[in-house]
Amino acid sequence: MSDDRSDSVNGVPGANGHVIEVTDSRTVHIGPLSVRRALPTRGRRMVGAWCFVDHMGPETVSVERSVDIAPHPHVGLQTVTWLFSGELLHRDSLGTEQLIRPGQLNLMSAGRGVAHSEENPGLTYGQLHGIQLWLAQPSSTRNDPAAFEHHRELPRLDAANATVTILVGTVDKIDAGVRGDCDLVGLELDLHGGDTTIGLNPAFEHALVVASGAAIVDGVRVSPGHLAHLGLGRDELRLSTEGPGKALLIGGVPFSERILMWWNFVARTEAEITDAWMDWAEGAGRFGVVASEFKRIEVGPPPWVLPLR
Ligand code: MN
């Protein structure tokens, strides 16, 4: 998270007067996978409460080439896991063991502290393709106990040339039925090719992340490896695609609190981050234990902590 490279930022006034700003994702490596990190980048830190977007795959996974993210801690954020293909096994220190498949949602609220792993279940191999996102928790919930939700099915609605799945929030008065700590929205757009219009809340800022194919928004082509920030004040998104594609639309009321993000922690002050890091390093009860065969991930101190001699 500290290795921000220079990102290209293009503010292009669209045909309807709204601004569209496209930032490049940066490539990070998680095990054998290279992942496109669309948030945070130097050009864009947050979209509403959304503060982290990793687009992984599609990549072939196998016994020799599997994705196993060993137990690690979180505070002050919610993890949202969404797959287009493949499977992952979620284990956490609440005792949860949950397989997730495409079309299903895992939402883990860290609050004051939780630990989890994401493992290859070893059931099916093949293409793994998905997005993991984080939501910063507001002060009203960020010190609450941890919680986990799995949603086997989510509401869908048919738009022209697209099927919209509501991951979180409300569209056309249909609510995802998923916990939301802030006013926000998250949608999967399954694009069939052609012109599509999606209703938006003009009080939200929005961004589009394309996972496959390409979409034209306000005359700007958006493809995988980029985040298109659509600004505030839009009551609809019009996009067009030449062929099939998948995209995620995220949005929300601009986050009013200044957050501090380091490693897997979202807090407000360096002291809070230092406490969380020490609690993890010392194996304090705050994070609990994950029933995983993988060894927990350790990390050195945050940069403002002087090394002990
Ligand atoms: Mn995690």
Side-chain angles (χ1 to χ4, degrees):
M1 221 137 299
S2 52
D3 61 339
D4 277 4
R5 301 187 319 210
S6 59
D7 300 298
S8 68
V9 179
N10 304 304
V12 180
N16 54 6
H18 291 297
V19 166
I20 174 165
E21 187 183 274
V22 179
T23 47
D24 295 340
S25 304
R26 60 205 160 94
T27 303
V28 295
H29 295 278
I30 298 181
L33 292 196
S34 70
V35 165
R36 302 174 194 89
R37 184 157 296 160
L39 264 188
T41 59
R42 181 170 295 177
R44 175 66 51 192
R45 310 306 298 183
M46 295 182 84
V47 178
W50 302 97
C51 61
F52 181 93
V53 178
D54 260 6
H55 172 206
M56 56 181 168
E59 290 216 41
T60 303
V61 292
S62 63
V63 180
E64 299 78 30
R65 197 184 146 75
S66 78
V67 192
D68 295 297
I69 302 163
H72 60 277
H74 288 293
V75 299
L77 62 91
Q78 296 173 297
T79 62
V80 175
T81 308
W82 183 256
L83 298 180
F84 302 109
S85 62
E87 292 175 336
L88 283 175
L89 182 66
H90 165 98
R91 295 183 206 266
D92 66 35
S93 52
L94 298 164
T96 312
E97 184 179 311
Q98 179 65 59
L99 187 69
I100 182 169
R101 295 196 162 105
Q104 303 179 341
L105 184 85
N106 277 358
L107 174 72
M108 184 181 72
S109 304
R112 181 157 166 74
V114 75
H116 75 139
S117 65
E118 302 284 351
E119 303 174 14
N120 191 318
L123 299 175
T124 57
Y125 292 104
Q127 295 275 296
L128 182 68
H129 190 200
I131 298 197
Q132 194 182 57
L133 310 98
W134 295 356
L135 284 160
Q137 288 183 264
S139 283
S140 56
T141 65
R142 73 188 186 95
N143 290 308
D144 285 355
F148 178 82
E149 288 180 12
H150 173 75
H151 295 266
R152 225 184 130 75
E153 273 192 273
L154 291 161
R156 291 205 164 102
L157 58 103
D158 288 318
N161 301 316
T163 306
V164 179
T165 305
I166 309 171
L167 280 54
V168 56
T170 304
V171 179
D172 288 353
K173 297 182 180 157
I174 303 170
D175 190 82
V178 172
R179 170 175 164 173
D181 291 9
C182 296
D183 281 338
L184 57 93
V185 71
L187 307 176
E188 186 207 74
L189 311 180
D190 183 8
L191 303 162
H192 312 320
D195 295 339
T196 298
T197 303
I198 314 284
L200 302 180
N201 181 341
F204 289 2
E205 59 177 330
H206 291 91
L208 186 73
V209 177
V210 174
S212 63
I216 311 284
V217 182
D218 298 346
V220 176
R221 188 171 183 275
V222 186
S223 58
H226 306 277
L227 178 138
H229 190 258
L230 305 170
L232 279 159
R234 290 177 188 253
D235 56 13
E236 62 179 25
L237 169 66
R238 289 165 182 247
L239 54 82
S240 62
T241 53
E242 282 165 17
K246 299 259 192 193
L248 228 63
L249 182 77
I250 55 174
V253 171
F255 203 70
S256 60
E257 301 177 53
R258 195 177 173 81
I259 66 166
L260 185 63
M261 224 167 125
W262 179 79
W263 195 41
N264 292 308
F265 305 135
V266 171
R268 302 295 181 271
T269 64
E270 291 182 352
E272 286 176 0
I273 300 262
T274 304
D275 278 354
W277 168 72
M278 284 185 70
D279 284 349
W280 178 249
E282 291 168 358
R286 167 176 179 170
F287 293 110
V289 173
V290 184
S292 168
E293 63 183 84
F294 294 96
K295 202 169 163 282
R296 26 176 279 150
I297 298 174
E298 306 290 347
V299 72
W304 54 84
V305 173
L306 293 173
L308 297 173
R309 288 175 192 276

